[in-house]
């Protein structure tokens, strides 16, 4: 009976479902079909033999991965950068959306939105150059202010590893905070305006309206995005709207040899091993490890959300 009802709904909306076909096909071709290549992680893969003929070696590359000191250094950097980025950066788009929503003057509101959205469309290559210019030890505006205004000594920000995490996280927040706030602004517009009107009649101030109406209204969106964000803890390429974790382009364009001890994470390790040294099987083993850990974190955070809040991704 339920199947018949489903097919009836499909027939009634067949035109709408036809519009989904290109999107489903794209996801299948570019997301699911390449998963056949996972088998490379368990082979001594060579391009000439392909993944159908390359010899299987079991967990050889995983054992080598866990015996490699560079893997643990990269894992430390990945976890450190992403955990701090989530703790500091995840609330930022929410606060930005709340502040923009409270602006009443239309022209000023649009100006603020345009200014905060603009960095998202600038390439990380350009952003990296800007950051290097701003933080240059001799000519950077930051060091000019430190030396001229505060009388301090110039700091080699881009040569000292212990500054890199903060620079990478700060750059990612500045670039993406406006763009990621769009999701929360859309969620705010879906809140019933009669709730605000009733709160105003009851004498609730702006802060109380935000706390008791706006935040509970967008809580499901916050929870869903936070669950998805947990998958980015071990992979900077797991980019979802609402996350503020630096991606591969962030770190690759900001890093240099002098800060490699703080900048080289798992994705850069995969790039080095897989692209530069052509050890495809070893790089695939690291990538598979990242994907499995990300999946486990998402599933666990989803279950925790369901127990605590009663809703999650599925």
């Amino acid at each position: 009976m339920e199947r018949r009802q489903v097919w009836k709904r499909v027939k009634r909306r067949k035109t709408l479902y036809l519009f989904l076909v290109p999107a489903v096909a794209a996801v299948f071709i570019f997301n699911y079909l390449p998963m056949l290549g996972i088998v490379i992680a368990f082979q001594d893969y060579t391009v000439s033999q392909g993944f159908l003929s390359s010899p299987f070696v079991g967990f050889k590359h995983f054992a080598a991965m866990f015996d490699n000191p560079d893997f643990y250094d990269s894992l430390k950097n990945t976890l450190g950068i992403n955990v701090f980025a989530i703790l500091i950066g995840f609330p930022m788009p929410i606060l930005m959306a709340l502040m923009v929503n409270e602006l009443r003057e239309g022209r000023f509101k649009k100006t603020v939105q345009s200014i905060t959205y603009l960095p998202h469309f600038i390439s990380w290559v350009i952003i990296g150059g800007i950051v290097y210019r701003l933080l240059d030890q001799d000519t950077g505006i930051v060091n000019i202010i430190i030396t001229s205004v505060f009388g301090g000594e110039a700091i080699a920000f881009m040569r000292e590893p212990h500054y890199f995490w903060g620079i990478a996280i700060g750059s990612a927040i500045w670039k993406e905070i406006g763009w990621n706030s769009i999701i929360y602004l859309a969620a705010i517009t879906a809140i019933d305006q009669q709730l605000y009107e009733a709160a105003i009649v009851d004498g609730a101030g702006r802060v109380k309206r935000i706390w008791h109406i706006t935040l509970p209204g967008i809580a499901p969106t916050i929870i869903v995005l936070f669950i998805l964000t947990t998958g980015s803890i071990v992979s900077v390429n797991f980019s979802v709207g609402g996350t503020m974790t630096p991606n591969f382009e962030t770190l690759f364009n900001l890093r240099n040899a002098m800060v490699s001890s703080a900048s080289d994470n798992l994705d850069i390790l995969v790039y080095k091993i897989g692209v530069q040294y052509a050890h495809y099987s070893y790089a695939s083993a690291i990538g598979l490890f990242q994907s499995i850990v990300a999946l486990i974190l998402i599933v666990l955070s989803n279950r925790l959300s369901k127990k605590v809040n009663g809703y999650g991704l599925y």
Side-chain angles (χ1 to χ4, degrees):
M1 188 67 182
E2 291 182 359
R3 290 184 179 179
R4 289 180 181 178
Q5 291 178 351
V6 170
W7 280 112
K8 285 182 180 179
R9 287 199 296 268
V10 171
K11 287 181 180 179
R12 284 199 303 267
R13 301 180 178 90
K14 60 183 178 181
T15 304
L16 296 177
Y17 283 108
L18 284 174
F19 281 104
L20 289 176
V21 172
V24 173
V27 170
F28 177 76
I29 293 170
F30 295 106
N31 292 86
Y32 286 95
L33 202 58
M35 290 177 68
L36 295 173
I38 289 174
V39 70
I40 294 174
F42 304 94
Q43 297 176 324
D44 272 336
Y45 174 80
T46 59
V47 176
S48 59
Q49 292 178 303
F51 65 83
L52 295 177
S53 302
S54 296
F56 280 87
V57 293
F59 292 94
K60 169 187 172 182
H61 300 294
F62 292 92
M65 177 182 71
F66 289 116
D67 287 336
N68 186 359
D70 290 339
F71 169 77
Y72 293 101
D73 291 337
S74 301
L75 180 62
K76 179 196 71 174
N77 290 333
T78 304
L79 293 175
I81 291 173
N82 290 337
V83 168
F84 280 113
I86 291 171
L87 291 176
I88 299 170
F90 186 82
M92 293 293 185
I94 303 173
L95 295 174
M96 173 65 72
L98 293 174
M99 288 189 291
V100 170
N101 184 64
E102 291 301 315
L103 294 176
R104 292 293 174 258
E105 207 283 311
R107 185 175 297 178
F108 180 66
K109 184 175 183 178
K110 290 179 181 179
T111 303
V112 170
Q113 288 178 296
S114 299
I115 292 172
T116 55
Y117 296 168
L118 182 61
H120 171 79
F121 300 98
I122 303 175
S123 167
W124 267 113
V125 176
I126 298 173
I127 296 293
I130 293 173
V131 171
Y132 267 89
R133 285 287 186 179
L134 290 174
L135 300 179
D136 186 85
Q137 186 174 6
D138 300 317
T139 60
I141 185 64
V142 175
N143 273 309
I144 290 175
I145 292 173
I146 291 174
T147 55
S148 302
V149 179
F150 298 102
E153 295 183 0
I155 301 172
F157 289 104
M158 303 308 295
R159 301 176 195 172
E160 298 291 341
H162 56 273
Y163 290 116
F164 184 82
W165 287 11
I167 293 170
I169 294 170
S171 300
I173 291 174
W174 169 70
K175 187 176 187 296
E176 300 296 342
I177 185 172
W179 181 257
N180 288 335
S181 67
I182 294 175
I183 299 174
Y184 300 108
L185 282 169
I188 290 172
T189 58
I191 299 174
D192 188 354
Q193 294 301 308
Q194 292 182 352
L195 296 174
Y196 292 104
E197 294 171 2
I200 292 172
V201 171
D202 290 339
R206 181 171 295 182
V207 175
K208 287 187 177 181
R209 293 199 300 271
I210 292 173
W211 185 257
H212 294 288
I213 299 175
T214 307
L215 286 177
I218 64 174
T221 303
I222 295 173
I223 294 298
V224 168
L225 290 176
F226 183 78
I227 291 171
L228 293 174
T229 302
T230 56
S232 67
I233 290 178
V234 290
S235 176
V236 294
N237 278 330
F238 194 95
S239 183
V240 195
T243 69
M244 301 299 291
T245 53
N247 57 23
F248 174 81
E249 289 82 4
T250 309
L251 303 180
F252 188 77
N253 285 287
L254 292 177
R255 68 183 292 276
N256 59 64
M258 300 186 74
V259 297
S260 60
S261 61
S263 65
D264 288 3
N265 53 28
L266 290 178
D267 286 301
I268 290 180
L269 181 65
V270 169
Y271 168 77
K272 286 182 177 180
I273 294 172
V275 177
Q276 294 183 339
Y277 305 135
H279 296 163
Y280 303 115
S281 295
Y282 194 0
S284 297
I286 299 174
L288 182 57
F289 166 80
Q290 290 178 274
S291 299
I292 291 172
V293 174
L295 177 62
I296 292 171
L297 289 173
I298 289 174
V299 171
L300 291 177
S301 59
N302 183 68
R303 289 187 177 181
L304 180 62
S305 174
K306 278 190 171 182
K307 286 185 177 180
V308 175
N309 301 297
Y311 46 77
L313 282 174
Y314 54 87

